[in-house]
């Protein structure tokens, strides 16, 4: 049972344009959501998070949007840079100490 | 500041051999500790988590076990490795207080041959 889903395994975007990565969840108990960036053979690094009491959170070029009714969140990167090329994971937690991750989206920013 | 150490970085083991991966956290107390695995081309699968010494929750039935002998030490073990145990293993910690960021170690690439 995949509680957190990232349906796009890959995404290519031109440098300077917007990257939009999507994530869906099924468990209504989730109340905290996170995005991580991962390079090969390295541990994921935290990017941005959002609590279910909010619908938007910004940090520099990164913005996360949460639509609770649709059980959907998205990460916007503007403007996209070549250094943003990596695998992005969304994660969710709530009600327990567990963090459930999606399968990841590989972002490639083309120069 | 808090740091998490995970070793070794890479490991090649024959099928049927034992496994022990260690993770330690510094600069915090009573952390929640986690083991995740990323199989080739797959997402991050939660294997075990612990909210205290000796308290282990297993998420997926498998050939692995975990132990927490000290507050900031988390160990992943196997008595006999299988080919399917190959993958990238990640240790992580979070603050005990609740919904907080999850911080990852640098990972161990395990190849079972």
């Amino acid at each position: 049972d995949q509680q957190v889903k990232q349906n796009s395994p890959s995404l290519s975007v031109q440098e300077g344009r917007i990257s939009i990565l999507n994530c869906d969840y099924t468990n209504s108990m989730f109340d905290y959501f996170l995005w991580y960036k991962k390079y090969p053979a390295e541990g994921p690094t935290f990017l941005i998070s959002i609590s279910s009491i909010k619908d938007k959170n910004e940090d520099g070029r990164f913005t996360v949007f949460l639509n609770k009714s649709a059980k959907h969140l998205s990460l916007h990167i503007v403007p996209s840079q070549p250094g943003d090329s990596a695998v992005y994971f969304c994660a969710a937690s709530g009600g327990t100490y567990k963090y459930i991750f999606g399968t990841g989206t590989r972002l490639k920013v083309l120069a | 500041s808090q740091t998490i150490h995970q070793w070794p970085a890479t490991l090649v083991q024959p099928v049927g051999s034992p496994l022990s991966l260690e993770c330690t956290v510094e600069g915090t107390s009573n952390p929640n500790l986690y083991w995740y695995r990323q199989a080739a081309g797959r997402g991050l699968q939660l294997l075990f988590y612990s909210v205290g010494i000796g308290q282990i929750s297993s998420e997926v039935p498998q050939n692995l076990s975990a132990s927490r002998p000290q507050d900031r030490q988390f160990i992943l073990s196997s008595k006999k490795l299988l080919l399917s145990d190959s993958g990238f293993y990640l240790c992580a910690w979070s603050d005990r207080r609740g919904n907080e960021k999850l911080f990852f170690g640098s990972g161990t690439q395990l190849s079972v041959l």
Side-chain angles (χ1 to χ4, degrees):
Chain A
D1 177 25
Q2 190 71 28
Q3 298 184 66
V4 179
K5 301 178 184 179
Q6 294 178 257
N7 292 318
S8 297
S10 64
L11 175 68
S12 292
V13 173
Q14 285 295 132
E15 180 180 6
R17 305 296 291 270
I18 184 172
S19 295
I20 300 176
L21 296 96
N22 294 303
C23 180
D24 297 294
Y25 61 96
T26 58
N27 190 336
S28 58
M29 293 294 292
F30 290 148
D31 59 5
Y32 187 62
F33 304 89
L34 312 91
W35 283 95
Y36 284 80
K37 177 180 181 180
K38 185 183 182 303
Y39 293 115
E42 294 183 10
T45 55
F46 171 80
L47 276 177
I48 192 169
S49 62
I50 188 168
S51 165
S52 61
I53 62 174
K54 295 183 176 181
D55 54 17
K56 178 182 175 181
N57 188 27
E58 287 182 84
D59 185 359
R61 295 187 298 115
F62 302 92
T63 303
V64 56
F65 296 91
L66 176 62
N67 182 332
K68 291 185 287 296
S69 62
K71 294 190 175 65
H72 177 83
L73 65 153
S74 61
L75 174 68
H76 293 209
I77 306 173
V78 183
S80 301
Q81 301 173 353
D84 296 329
S85 297
V87 177
Y88 290 78
F89 290 97
C90 65
S93 71
T96 71
Y97 293 106
K98 297 190 291 186
Y99 293 76
I100 306 301
F101 281 76
T103 51
T105 296
R106 183 178 302 278
L107 173 66
K108 187 172 184 180
V109 180
L110 307 170
Chain B
S1 64
Q2 302 89 357
T3 55
I4 179 169
H5 302 279
Q6 185 181 345
W7 66 93
T10 59
L11 191 59
V12 180
Q13 293 284 97
V15 170
S17 64
L19 173 73
S20 180
L21 301 181
E22 189 165 341
C23 171
T24 59
V25 180
E26 296 178 356
T28 187
S29 59
N30 300 319
N32 296 325
L33 296 173
Y34 305 81
W35 280 110
Y36 284 85
R37 177 173 62 197
Q38 183 183 21
R42 304 286 295 278
L44 297 177
Q45 181 185 36
L46 178 61
L47 302 176
F48 302 94
Y49 69 98
S50 171
V51 299
I53 296 174
Q55 301 179 58
I56 308 296
S57 296
S58 175
E59 288 298 297
V60 182
Q62 57 211 331
N63 186 41
L64 303 169
S65 62
S67 61
R68 185 172 178 173
Q70 301 180 44
D71 180 47
R72 290 170 291 174
Q73 183 185 29
F74 206 23
I75 297 171
L76 183 69
S77 304
S78 174
K79 292 181 179 178
K80 289 185 178 182
L81 284 168
L82 306 172
L83 287 174
S84 58
D85 292 324
S86 294
F88 191 59
Y89 289 81
L90 290 154
C91 181
W93 74 273
S94 70
D95 193 284
R96 178 65 68 85
R97 289 174 294 177
N99 283 342
E100 294 284 344
K101 303 172 194 175
L102 189 64
F103 298 94
F104 284 89
S106 54
T108 296
Q109 182 64 54
L110 172 66
S111 299
V112 183
L113 305 177

